[in-house]
Amino acid sequence: MRVLMQTARRAPYAALILMAVSLAALVISQEWQTGFLVVLSGFEFQVVTGSLLVTGLCYQWILFFKRVLRDNKNARRVLVNHRWVGVGMTYLFALHAVRMGHTWMTLLSVVFFLIALTGVLNREVLRYRQNWIYLVWLSAHIGLSAMMVPLVALHVWVALAYQ
């Protein structure tokens, strides 16, 4: 219990993102937006939340490019913002997603959830004793994020083509 409390103080976003992933999974699996949340499933609402998600996704890549370019200016602030934007995007995803849909839509949702879960399992939450474990975690998180980009592009193209 003490370890959980220390983790909650050190990484308050961890509990919030786990709640967000649970909420998003529940909304999608129960198809609540086609049920009693039908107000949230209108095309205009989907465009607004989708645009916010794409904007957030673009913002999240700033941390990657800062690391690649070895730009350490405001690095800690960018990392903190990266984590909190990820939390916000997960809640926004819960509002945006209507249902699992076809195979590629299910894949998009699963990849989003895996990115959120790998994101929360960072060095601040789990103390990696060996650097290779951290590198595997980082590769998985960035690899899943890279996989998400073409899936999002396909989703936007299909969603707008059928409206």
Side-chain angles (χ1 to χ4, degrees), residues 10-159:
R10 188 173 57 244
Y13 58 86
L16 289 173
I17 200 156
L18 291 175
M19 289 187 319
V21 168
S22 301
L23 175 68
L26 187 63
V27 167
I28 292 170
S29 67
Q30 299 298 313
E31 294 189 13
W32 280 359
Q33 286 191 352
T34 55
F36 67 90
L37 293 178
V38 73
V39 172
L40 301 179
S41 61
F43 181 70
E44 295 82 11
F45 183 80
Q46 294 298 313
V47 169
V48 169
T49 56
S51 298
L52 289 171
L53 282 166
V54 168
T55 302
L57 181 66
C58 292
Y59 177 81
Q60 293 295 71
W61 282 97
I62 290 174
L63 180 64
F64 173 75
F65 289 116
K66 281 185 101 34
R67 286 187 175 189
V68 166
L69 298 173
R70 299 192 190 280
D71 179 10
N72 293 330
K73 183 179 178 188
N74 301 322
R76 181 68 186 162
R77 184 181 57 80
V78 171
L79 178 62
V80 169
N81 289 346
H82 178 85
R83 290 174 179 161
W84 285 107
V85 168
V87 170
M89 284 179 59
T90 307
Y91 280 104
L92 193 59
F93 183 77
L95 293 174
H96 179 76
V98 177
R99 62 188 173 281
M100 279 297 199
H102 302 288
T103 305
W104 62 273
M105 279 299 299
T106 301
L107 180 62
L108 178 62
S109 297
V110 168
V111 168
F112 189 92
F113 291 145
L114 288 174
I115 292 168
L117 292 174
T118 57
V120 82
L121 298 176
N122 59 49
R123 273 187 180 168
E124 200 171 59
V125 174
L126 296 177
R127 305 285 184 171
Y128 298 121
R129 298 200 191 305
Q130 297 168 336
N131 196 45
W132 71 269
I133 297 173
Y134 167 73
L135 293 175
V136 168
W137 166 83
L138 186 63
S139 299
H141 187 64
I142 293 172
L144 287 165
S145 299
M147 186 188 303
M148 174 105 106
V149 173
L151 288 172
V152 167
L154 177 65
H155 170 65
V156 169
W157 179 68
V158 169

